[in-house]
Amino acid sequence: MSIIAFISMAIAFGISAMLLMHRCASATPIRLSEGLLVAAATAVMQSALFLLGFAIGDTLRFEDASGSYVEVNALIMLGTAAVVAFKWIGPYLRREPRLPVFALNGGTVRTLLMALATGINASIVGIGVGFVAPLSANFHGALWPMLLSTLLLAYLGIMFGRQHVTLRPRRWMIIATILLLGVAIHQVVMH
């Protein structure tokens, strides 16, 4: 996979984190210094779960000498990306979306549990990525865009949420979904 694909996926996960943090900070305002720690914990946890899923997918990848499983592996990635994309966009298609809101000022344990709960989608996509790319050759290309994008966009979401800046979450989530599915479809088409 190219670095552009990893950056696109990282931006998609960053947008998802931004929308979540915006909702949470609007409901339970916190200081910016605490918000930075929450955004950092979320970024580290999501990146770690993405890499864990990447390693699992890398070990489960179908391979043979002739390379006949390349398309199957790409379709598995498309399937995992589609599952996460529909999980993301589904609640926003309702007239009155019911979206999760976590208390950001709940302490370290609650923050880590929130980061773990939101990082499950990253691990699912990571499994799909592991089917199309080896982790050893793409470790840094996968880690740094995910870590930085999630950190910056989650913190931006906290800042906007504290100030009650209006975002258009449906539009942002459509962009994130298109980015994620675009990378997966590109892998299928190129193989």
Side-chain angles (χ1 to χ4, degrees):
M1 283 182 63
S2 69
I3 190 68
I4 300 299
F6 284 116
I7 290 172
S8 298
M9 284 190 303
I11 291 171
F13 280 102
I15 290 171
S16 175
M18 178 183 71
L19 295 175
L20 172 70
M21 294 301 167
H22 181 267
R23 285 192 310 271
C24 295
S26 293
T28 58
I30 60 172
R31 292 193 317 255
L32 285 178
S33 57
E34 292 176 6
L36 182 60
L37 293 175
V38 169
T42 303
V44 167
M45 184 68 80
Q46 283 196 357
S47 300
L49 288 172
F50 179 72
L51 290 175
L52 176 66
F54 199 164
I56 291 169
D58 193 15
T59 59
L60 297 175
R61 180 177 344 139
F62 300 111
E63 291 181 312
D64 67 350
S66 65
S68 59
Y69 290 111
V70 173
E71 187 175 340
V72 172
N73 291 331
L75 288 172
I76 291 171
M77 181 188 171
L78 177 61
T80 59
V83 166
V84 172
F86 289 127
K87 279 178 65 179
W88 277 352
I89 199 71
Y92 290 96
L93 297 178
R94 296 183 187 145
R95 186 177 301 254
E96 295 292 326
R98 294 183 186 169
L99 302 165
V101 177
F102 299 96
L104 295 181
N105 54 4
T108 306
V109 174
R110 279 191 174 178
T111 300
L112 292 176
L113 289 175
M114 178 203 61
L116 178 66
T118 59
I120 298 299
N121 290 335
S123 65
I124 292 170
V125 171
I127 290 171
V129 170
F131 273 90
V132 298
L135 177 61
S136 58
N138 296 293
F139 180 80
H140 291 288
L143 172 66
W144 297 113
M146 180 70 79
L147 189 66
L148 293 175
S149 174
T150 306
L151 174 66
L152 294 174
L153 289 173
Y155 192 54
L156 187 67
I158 289 172
M159 288 190 290
F160 285 164
R162 288 180 74 239
Q163 298 296 320
H164 300 287
V165 174
T166 303
L167 293 179
R168 301 200 184 242
R170 185 174 292 153
R171 289 183 186 172
W172 281 105
M173 193 49 74
I174 288 171
I175 291 169
T177 303
I178 289 171
L179 284 170
L180 186 62
L181 287 177
V183 170
I185 291 169
H186 179 263
Q187 289 301 313
V188 171
V189 170
M190 293 307 290
H191 297 295

